[in-house]
Amino acid sequence: MTAAVTTTAPGGPVAAELPFFVYGTLLPGEPNHDLFLRGRTAGERPAVLPRALLYDGPGYPYAIEGHGRVHGTLLVAAPGIYGELLGLLDHLEEFLGPGHPRNLYERVVREVELPARGASDAGESVRAWVYLAAAAVTRSLRTGGVLIPEGRWTRTSPSGA
């Protein structure tokens, strides 16, 4: 279900300025939110990544494809800084380019669900960049990782990291 939006190497041209879905240390209140996102977003809204599972990592989580839901936040870049924010997030997530063997995460396009805001709002689905665990990490998680069953990460889930 990956959309046909691609990039060149990190920092290179981007086919579309999509919002970002975050689910770990970049969430509001978590340590990397202020470090990487303060003053760089024009909007933040709760969102859900369907068809994904969340695993505990060494102080941060990993999302992978699966039969579950991951809760997080949809971020819209502030005007004029999209490229800067994309580069910062690619660096933080150790994304070196599509399919690079040293990637910790892959940056992919996924449909993200925005919950309804009220009785007259049905909610909506939007395309967003999501950092999913790279292939080698995914294999390791599937065989011996610690699943976060509710799909909500905090610094205390579930191993106290």
Side-chain angles (χ1 to χ4, degrees):
M1 311 253 171
T2 303
V5 176
T6 59
T7 64
T8 60
V14 177
E17 290 190 3
L18 298 174
F20 299 90
F21 175 80
V22 299
Y23 54 85
T25 64
L26 290 164
L27 289 169
E30 294 295 336
N32 284 333
H33 184 272
D34 283 350
L35 288 172
F36 291 88
L37 300 175
R38 183 183 296 268
R40 293 186 176 103
T41 64
E44 300 181 9
R45 185 171 170 192
V48 175
L49 176 65
R51 296 174 303 283
L53 297 171
L54 194 62
Y55 281 86
D56 195 30
Y60 48 86
Y62 295 101
I64 68 170
E65 302 283 348
H67 299 292
R69 296 167 63 80
V70 173
H71 298 267
T73 299
L74 187 73
L75 309 170
V76 176
I81 62 98
Y82 190 86
E84 173 190 347
L85 183 57
L86 182 66
L88 285 169
L89 295 180
D90 281 353
H91 178 73
L92 174 67
E93 306 295 5
E94 297 184 41
F95 172 71
L96 303 174
H100 194 286
R102 291 193 343 239
N103 282 349
L104 185 59
Y105 292 89
E106 289 286 340
R107 177 170 32 90
V108 297
V109 176
R110 293 290 182 269
E111 290 290 321
V112 175
E113 298 170 355
L114 298 172
R117 291 187 183 186
S120 63
D121 179 9
E124 62 182 300
S125 181
V126 299
R127 292 176 0 151
W129 289 119
V130 179
Y131 292 89
L132 297 179
V137 176
T138 297
R139 283 191 298 276
S140 175
L141 292 169
R142 287 191 190 279
T143 60
V146 178
L147 181 67
I148 301 173
E150 70 281 2
R152 289 184 199 274
W153 185 84
T154 65
R155 282 177 278 173
T156 59
S157 11
S159 66

